[in-house]
Amino acid sequence: MNRKTKGMYKNLTSYGDSGFSIFLRKAFIKGMGYSEEMLSKPIIGITNTYSDYNPCHGNVPDLIKSVKSGILASGAIPLEFPTITIHESFAYPTSMYLRNLMSIDTEEMLRAQPMDACVLIGGCDKTVPAQIMGAFSADIPAIQLVTGPMLTGSHKGERVGACTDCRRYWAKFRAEEIDENEINEVNNQLVPTVGTCGVMGTASTMALITEALGMMVTNGASAPAVSAERRRIAEETGRIAVEIANKSYKPKDFLTIKNFQNALTILSAIGGSTNGIVHLTAMAGRLGIDINLDDFDQMTKNTPMIVDLKPSGSGYMEDLFKSGGLPRILNEMKEYLHLDAMTVSGISLREIIDKNNFDWPQQVIRKTKDPIFDKGSIAVLNGNLAPGSAIIKQSAASKELLVHEGIVEVFEDLEDLANRIDSEDLNVTKDSILLLRNIGPLGAPGMPEAGLIPIPKKLAKLGVKDMVRISDGRMSGTASGTIVLHVCPEAAAGGNLNIVESGDIIKLDVYKRLIELKLTDDEIKLRHDNKKNKKSVKRRGYNKIFFDSVLQADKGVDFEATIMRSCNHDIELQIHN
């Protein structure tokens, strides 16, 4: 390691005199009690994303202690520093609106401060992609540590956990199947410990596909937040961080298109959140890798879904951990993966599979010949309603609705939805299609997880559990239903979603990958011509940056200026028939 370009000598403050810069830096850091000898060692940064607003990160202080132990034992200095932290339930207007801000914050702090590598600690949905996006752009050695899933609670003898059961019991309450006392009792049991949602929501999805991508220690995704194993994983992460610092082993040195194909394959195999596509696309873009959604659909359409976790299955993340975690999933899916893809630990997927022996019986991770869902858990749709693309998590949909034609009831925005969804006068039947627009990246703003349009109360009370629902927004990975999402272009960007009227007919055919508004091209053009433009709004600060720069869902909802354009990677499909 070149002492003059590493450690305390890295990224010197600009005073016009580099000697004075390091002199002053050492003077101040010695105020924290460091010796001159200690200051000659490599520096490992640790992001501190703890917040009283973020219970998913409630164990971060303990994890930082364990990371520091691993770093110190390996001969480097651990220096923690704060960054923005985002919790799904506490971010207004939506966490996705703030993901790019957290990414910028992370990137600039990695650039600004002296560190030879960084441990990124995050968990709640948008933090992991934000941190990785920032680290990829900062181009320094980095490794991800997730906070881990919460344990399950119990209600009347039934295991429950956030957040699929949150939605399930809320739907029961709306349908008046349970009363206010019981919904309050359930509320006390849904989040019994700190940590991320214990089902295959976005947090669990991002943890698993980040490990599959190669940015995490082996089996680092699924250990519960409150377990001793989670702290051992943190210590191992600290040790690996020192290794990559000494080798200057950056993500771009080992991540290729094969890594991202592996992550996309695992996304399909685990029945992961649809949000995973948006985040992986944004993460890949920071390295100049383009993920085409039609290619993703072709690549994964024959990929079996083998993990039995809610919302597409029945188990929880603690069950997945006990069953062998991601290494066992990799073992079952090895014929679908690039096994020569390298990881941050300096070993390949093939080596990870070879060194693990999964000889005990379990029920969570199925064989590929006995899947939970036959193939293609997430499908990419096209058609005149979504000329760019749209997606549906068909593994969590009602099979009888995967081919459906119905009359549309349009909700203009979230306010319109709130005002009318429970009206007894709402003109809908169980065969209607509910369409919500203006909840895309620009329309909301920030593309909120409002795609799970509630079943109208008058239908819910009749026992209707699912309907076809369409929007330009997102859906939580913890949710289920026949729901078309991420319609591109969104309504606010002038997409055809913007000219749909109540009473129109839409056809959905997931098997043919079709989402079609039953209007002629001339009728669509005429409606666009007659559509009044919304008045422009004066904006400032981050809000202006967001509206001026944000891309559509098929490009990861990242900012145009942050995407790498210097590289041109072609996806070589690995299709399994």
Side-chain angles (χ1 to χ4, degrees):
M1 179 177 288
N2 185 342
R3 185 168 174 266
K4 295 298 182 181
T5 59
K6 301 291 184 179
M8 278 292 153
Y9 289 83
K10 190 172 182 180
N11 299 340
L12 288 174
T13 309
S14 299
Y15 290 116
D17 181 342
S18 59
F20 178 71
S21 295
I22 189 63
F23 172 77
L24 198 59
R25 174 173 285 177
K26 284 186 175 181
F28 275 101
I29 199 71
K30 284 178 179 177
M32 302 287 284
Y34 290 101
S35 66
E36 184 71 25
E37 180 185 4
M38 195 68 174
L39 295 180
S40 67
K41 299 181 183 299
I43 297 174
I44 310 300
I46 307 170
T47 62
N48 186 341
T49 56
Y50 176 81
S51 165
D52 284 342
Y53 287 105
N54 197 340
C56 293
H57 292 196
N59 61 336
V60 165
D62 286 338
L63 294 181
I64 288 175
K65 291 177 184 177
S66 297
V67 171
K68 285 183 174 181
S69 295
I71 293 169
L72 289 167
S74 300
I77 309 174
L79 294 180
E80 67 179 272
F81 61 98
T83 70
I84 290 172
T85 183
I86 304 168
H87 188 275
E88 189 67 31
S89 299
F90 284 89
Y92 176 84
T94 172
S95 60
M96 190 65 174
Y97 174 70
L98 298 171
R99 185 201 65 179
N100 295 350
L101 182 62
M102 183 178 181
S103 165
I104 292 169
D105 178 27
T106 302
E107 176 184 348
E108 294 308 319
M109 289 300 97
L110 297 187
R111 291 183 187 278
Q113 300 170 135
M115 64 188 79
D116 300 297
C118 186
V119 175
L120 308 162
I121 304 180
C124 195
D125 294 10
K126 310 306 176 292
T127 61
V128 171
Q131 289 178 316
I132 293 177
M133 289 159 64
F136 285 176
S137 293
D139 193 31
I140 73 166
I143 184 170
Q144 184 73 48
L145 171 64
V146 293
T147 55
M150 66 182 73
L151 297 179
T152 54
S154 178
H155 174 66
K156 295 184 175 179
E158 179 187 2
R159 292 174 79 198
V160 294
C163 208
T164 299
D165 295 323
C166 306
R167 301 178 189 281
R168 180 167 63 90
Y169 274 94
W170 188 252
K172 285 186 174 185
F173 179 64
R174 281 178 51 79
E176 300 180 1
E177 295 175 16
I178 60 175
D179 60 21
E180 189 168 350
N181 286 334
E182 184 166 357
I183 197 67
N184 288 335
E185 290 174 7
V186 173
N187 192 256
N188 289 333
Q189 295 299 317
L190 290 167
V191 183
T193 71
V194 298
T196 55
C197 289
V199 297
M200 192 57 73
T202 304
S204 299
T205 297
M206 291 311 304
L208 288 162
I209 63 179
T210 297
E211 185 180 335
L213 184 67
M215 283 295 295
M216 194 186 299
V217 300
T218 301
N219 209 12
S222 57
V226 295
S227 66
E229 185 63 22
R230 175 55 54 194
R231 296 191 65 164
R232 285 190 284 270
I233 290 166
E235 183 179 309
E236 173 70 2
T237 301
R239 186 187 68 78
I240 297 294
V242 179
E243 285 188 4
I244 62 176
N246 289 332
K247 295 188 298 183
S248 192
Y249 191 48
K250 303 175 183 178
K252 71 177 183 180
D253 295 329
F254 64 93
L255 291 180
T256 70
I257 189 62
K258 290 182 178 181
N259 296 77
F260 283 94
Q261 288 176 335
N262 286 343
L264 288 164
T265 298
I266 292 302
L267 172 63
S268 185
I270 63 177
S273 167
T274 50
N275 288 316
I277 295 179
V278 174
H279 297 320
L280 272 174
T281 301
M283 289 155 56
R286 296 299 183 97
L287 295 176
I289 296 173
D290 179 56
I291 292 177
N292 181 283
L293 295 191
D294 289 333
D295 289 342
F296 162 74
D297 189 69
Q298 287 295 312
M299 187 176 68
T300 61
K301 69 178 182 179
N302 291 316
T303 301
M305 179 189 148
I306 64 169
V307 177
D308 187 7
L309 259 62
K310 292 185 176 185
S312 298
S314 59
Y316 295 85
M317 282 294 286
E318 62 189 81
D319 305 320
L320 178 63
F321 173 64
K322 295 172 184 176
S323 298
L326 185 76
R328 191 162 193 164
I329 297 171
L330 296 176
N331 184 62
E332 297 299 335
M333 293 297 300
K334 57 189 173 186
E335 65 181 283
Y336 293 85
L337 300 169
H338 298 287
L339 299 183
D340 58 340
M342 297 300 293
T343 70
V344 69
S345 301
I347 59 176
S348 68
L349 287 196
R350 179 177 286 106
E351 291 173 281
I352 291 172
I353 292 170
D354 289 347
K355 75 176 187 178
N356 285 284
N357 179 28
F358 302 105
D359 58 356
W360 70 93
Q362 50 82 41
Q363 303 298 321
V364 174
I365 303 169
R366 299 278 192 89
K367 299 291 184 182
T368 57
K369 294 180 180 179
D370 180 31
I372 297 295
F373 188 80
D374 188 27
K375 52 190 177 183
S377 63
I378 297 174
V380 179
L381 309 175
N382 292 106
N384 66 1
L385 190 62
S389 62
I391 61 173
I392 184 171
K393 187 174 181 180
Q394 57 178 333
S395 64
S398 300
K399 189 173 182 178
E400 67 274 12
L401 291 175
L402 293 178
V403 177
H404 183 76
E405 189 170 298
I407 298 173
V408 180
E409 181 65 23
V410 175
F411 297 94
E412 189 65 27
D413 50 30
L414 289 171
E415 182 179 5
D416 185 32
L417 177 72
N419 288 339
R420 295 197 296 121
I421 191 65
D422 288 337
S423 171
E424 290 294 328
D425 297 327
L426 191 67
N427 186 23
V428 292
T429 70
K430 65 180 181 62
D431 297 318
S432 298
I433 292 177
L434 306 180
L435 187 148
L436 172 61
R437 61 187 173 216
N438 290 308
I439 61 165
L442 291 168
M447 207 180 180
E449 289 185 342
L452 183 67
I453 305 166
I455 301 298
K457 200 166 202 177
K458 72 176 188 178
L459 297 180
K461 289 190 290 186
L462 296 175
V464 176
K465 302 297 184 185
D466 194 13
M467 300 171 69
V468 173
R469 287 158 277 179
I470 301 170
S471 78
D472 46 13
R474 297 179 300 112
M475 177 177 77
S476 169
T478 64
S480 61
T482 310
I483 304 172
V484 177
L485 305 155
H486 307 187
V487 174
C488 294
E490 64 174 302
N496 288 342
L497 202 69
N498 196 40
I499 54 93
V500 181
E501 297 175 359
S502 293
D504 287 345
I505 296 173
I506 288 176
K507 181 178 181 179
L508 170 67
D509 190 331
V510 176
Y511 302 113
K512 293 182 178 179
R513 302 300 196 256
L514 178 69
I515 182 77
E516 183 179 39
L517 174 63
K518 305 295 279 188
L519 293 177
T520 66
D521 292 344
D522 288 341
E523 288 173 315
I524 290 173
K525 182 179 183 305
L526 182 62
R527 286 195 187 181
H528 276 296
D529 291 342
N530 293 334
K531 193 79 176 181
K532 293 181 180 179
N533 295 325
K534 291 185 177 180
K535 294 181 180 179
S536 61
V537 178
K538 289 185 177 180
R539 304 183 186 281
R540 60 172 298 279
Y542 177 70
N543 187 255
K544 178 173 174 53
I545 294 171
F546 187 95
F547 274 88
D548 288 350
S549 305
V550 75
L551 299 169
Q552 291 291 288
D554 59 343
K555 298 299 181 184
V557 198
D558 202 357
F559 292 159
E560 173 66 32
T562 61
I563 302 294
M564 280 283 292
R565 298 295 186 193
S566 59
C567 305
N568 184 21
H569 298 265
D570 293 324
I571 293 184
E572 298 176 1
L573 294 180
Q574 183 188 28
I575 300 174
H576 299 269
N577 298 313

